[in-house]
Amino acid sequence: MISERFQEWAQAGLIQIPITMAPPLRQVNSYLLRGPEGVTIIDPGPRTEVTEKEWEAVWRELEIHPSEISSIVLTHHHPDHFGLAGYLQSLTQAQVYMSARAYEEAERMWGIESTINEELSVLFRQHGMPDEWLMRLPQHLHGFIAQVTPFPKATFVTEDQFLTMGGRRWEPIMSGGHAPGHMSFYDRDKKIMICGDAVLPQISPNISLLPGSETHPLKAFISGLERLHKYDVRMAFPGHRSPFDYFHERISLLIQHHEQRLLRMEQLLRNEPLTGFQVCSSVFGTKLGIHQMRFAMSETLAHLTELVRQGRVAKQDSAGGKEIRFSARQQSCSAQ
């Protein structure tokens, strides 16, 4: 019998497991599928003492022995999805499946040779972020390491490689923008999409420009949405919030949301040249914690980069290249 705190989606053969994460989202959706091949866990959540105990409780309530877990599948590298994979692998000996690009991004962010603390601070300083924010970045980023330790030994999945989960074949679909190498999984027979954070109901996935990562993350995100829109989806199972049956409508709304944000930033720049931080403050405000401010700043830079790519905004180096400002062009051009 399924516990009341779990949602069982019988037609999809999925059990939705809410796993605790930090505010503002508070929960990430893990999914569990049973089949002849064993038990599959999708996106087990971040590693904390709380989440370790939550998974122990899940196994007790569902009467699952850790040895029955044959695979752990990850949609992307963010700690709230990737974090527990290595720890659970050590308990279950399960295979961990993800894209090679997603693993590369995990190493970029939290690997032994990661320099993201220094690189992100340099990037944000160039774009006008004050020291009062910059001094909080290293400790904030370092705080995620415990949530993703140990890294799993991963088996890399490509798009031409179907995965068997719950006794059915699932087609991997790669997209970017929110997370390079993000993989959604599609069951063509039942028209079901496990979409991680590629498409979320009610909230917009964060799109971040990060040093050494995607050059044009917003373009990558929109391209991924357009690709996902082509699939016939009856029900979508996201990484956050509830499963939903308006997959195509939600994709259209997300694209419209980013078009509107691009226009708003372009209009802000018609008055005077601004730094990325000034644009960020105008759009998102400054009454944010460091976590949300990092997201807001990286998303602002992703949109400004896209405006430059489309020829609608010019990027200006000043102060010997130490500060970057943006200004709107007199006439907007269509993206090529």
Side-chain angles (χ1 to χ4, degrees):
M1 181 177 179
I2 302 298
S3 168
E4 290 183 1
R5 73 189 187 94
F6 303 146
Q7 287 272 14
E8 183 177 21
W9 302 88
Q11 285 187 314
L14 292 167
I15 300 173
Q16 180 182 318
I17 312 290
I19 297 297
T20 299
M21 62 174 290
L25 291 177
R26 300 184 184 278
Q27 286 187 340
V28 60
N29 293 333
S30 293
Y31 295 100
L32 189 146
L33 301 89
R34 298 182 196 241
E37 75 285 352
V39 175
T40 297
I41 294 172
I42 298 176
D43 289 351
R47 185 182 180 187
T48 66
E49 290 184 8
V50 170
T51 59
E52 288 177 19
K53 291 177 180 177
E54 284 179 336
W55 275 109
E56 291 172 4
V58 167
W59 295 339
R60 284 196 303 271
E61 292 179 42
L62 299 183
E63 299 181 348
I64 293 172
H65 190 274
S67 63
E68 296 178 71
I69 298 164
S70 59
S71 58
I72 299 166
V73 176
L74 306 176
T75 59
H76 61 295
H77 74 284
H78 291 162
D80 54 323
H81 298 259
F82 167 90
L84 267 168
Y87 172 74
L88 293 187
Q89 185 179 50
S90 71
L91 297 180
T92 66
Q93 308 308 307
Q95 292 275 82
V96 173
Y97 296 97
M98 64 191 300
S99 74
R101 182 63 192 276
Y103 194 86
E104 176 188 324
E105 290 296 316
E107 289 190 314
R108 186 191 315 283
M109 294 298 296
W110 307 290
I112 295 173
E113 298 181 2
S114 173
T115 56
I116 191 66
N117 281 353
E118 297 80 8
E119 292 173 355
L120 192 59
S121 294
V122 168
L123 178 70
F124 283 179
R125 179 175 284 110
Q126 286 178 325
H127 289 281
M129 179 175 273
D131 287 341
E132 63 190 81
W133 288 104
L134 291 170
M135 64 186 297
R136 298 161 65 184
L137 268 178
Q139 183 178 0
H140 162 65
L141 292 171
H142 184 78
F144 290 107
I145 293 177
Q147 295 183 27
V148 299
T149 301
F151 271 32
K153 182 180 179 181
T155 299
F156 298 139
V157 178
T158 59
E159 288 187 305
D160 58 357
Q161 221 175 326
F162 283 74
L163 288 184
T164 300
M165 303 186 290
R168 305 201 306 278
R169 280 161 44 101
W170 296 80
E171 175 185 347
I173 306 160
M174 193 176 295
S175 58
H178 174 71
H182 185 294
M183 281 193 155
S184 301
F185 299 93
Y186 182 61
D187 179 340
R188 193 170 292 274
D189 291 336
K190 292 186 179 290
K191 301 178 181 179
I192 290 165
M193 185 76 76
I194 299 171
C195 52
D197 286 358
V199 184
L200 296 175
Q202 298 141 353
I203 55 178
S204 174
N206 174 254
I207 314 301
S208 284
L209 181 74
L210 294 172
S213 189
E214 289 175 314
T215 306
H216 299 288
L218 184 56
K219 181 178 183 291
F221 182 67
I222 298 300
S223 296
L225 290 180
E226 291 171 344
R227 187 175 181 208
L228 287 165
H229 194 277
K230 296 176 182 178
Y231 286 80
D232 185 4
V233 176
R234 182 177 58 81
M235 182 66 74
F237 291 84
H240 305 279
R241 307 292 174 89
S242 298
F244 58 106
D245 60 1
Y246 48 95
F247 187 71
H248 300 96
E249 293 88 343
R250 184 57 186 157
I251 287 175
S252 296
L253 286 172
L254 285 169
I255 292 173
Q256 182 182 3
H257 163 76
H258 288 290
E259 289 172 346
Q260 291 172 343
R261 180 156 287 168
L262 287 170
L263 181 59
R264 182 178 177 189
M265 290 187 184
E266 183 183 20
Q267 289 171 338
L268 283 171
L269 295 170
R270 290 199 179 281
N271 298 322
E272 61 178 328
L274 298 173
T275 65
F277 185 78
Q278 288 171 323
V279 175
C280 177
S281 300
S282 295
V283 174
F284 296 101
T286 55
K287 294 182 179 179
L288 304 170
I290 184 59
H291 182 75
Q292 291 302 96
M293 177 55 81
R294 173 172 68 88
F295 275 8
M297 185 67 175
S298 291
E299 177 141 335
T300 298
L301 295 180
H303 283 76
L304 290 171
T305 297
E306 179 61 15
L307 286 169
V308 172
R309 188 192 73 84
Q310 293 185 16
R312 295 159 62 178
V313 160
K315 183 178 177 181
Q316 305 170 342
D317 290 341
S318 60
K322 294 182 178 179
E323 184 176 83
I324 296 170
R325 290 179 179 267
F326 298 88
S327 60
R329 295 186 182 275
Q330 291 300 314
Q331 293 183 343
S332 296
C333 302
S334 298
Q336 298 299 316

